[in-house]
Amino acid sequence: MAYGRGADGYGRDVVVAARATDGRDFVKGIAGGWVDETTLRRARERGIDWGHVVEESDSFTALADLGQLITGGRTG
């Protein structure tokens, strides 16, 4: 999810999704998350420090707050 830094101010529409199809990522019902060119702006508006998100490898908490998680269940 560090890609969100590069998408901010890119001047084009960019959406990046990271997902796991097996549903075994230790968070029941969550298959991944997505970021786009609005993610960092929206995070700043909510007081989310994206540098801290990356340092702590905790995109789940930030993306949950932003409504940018991908839901799903076990597929295999």
Side-chain angles (χ1 to χ4, degrees), residues 25-48:
D25 294 342
F26 305 105
V27 180
K28 187 175 182 170
I30 302 300
W34 58 274
V35 298
D36 66 11
E37 70 276 1
T38 70
T39 300
L40 290 182
R41 175 185 51 79
R42 292 174 49 240
R44 282 190 296 268
E45 290 170 355
R46 292 177 182 244
I48 299 169

Side-chain angles (χ1 to χ4, degrees), residues 27-75:
V27 180
K28 187 175 182 170
I30 302 300
W34 58 274
V35 298
D36 66 11
E37 70 276 1
T38 70
T39 300
L40 290 182
R41 175 185 51 79
R42 292 174 49 240
R44 282 190 296 268
E45 290 170 355
R46 292 177 182 244
I48 299 169
D49 177 356
W50 204 260
H52 183 74
V53 169
V54 173
E55 287 173 13
E56 296 297 316
S57 297
D58 186 16
S59 60
F60 171 80
T61 301
L63 294 178
D65 188 40
L66 294 170
Q68 292 181 223
L69 293 175
I70 299 169
T71 58
R74 276 186 193 231
T75 58

Side-chain angles (χ1 to χ4, degrees), residues 1-34:
M1 294 299 152
Y3 185 81
R5 290 184 194 181
D8 190 27
Y10 185 64
R12 298 178 70 175
D13 292 338
V14 177
V15 176
V16 177
R19 65 183 187 86
T21 60
D22 65 7
R24 299 178 188 189
D25 294 342
F26 305 105
V27 180
K28 187 175 182 170
I30 302 300
W34 58 274

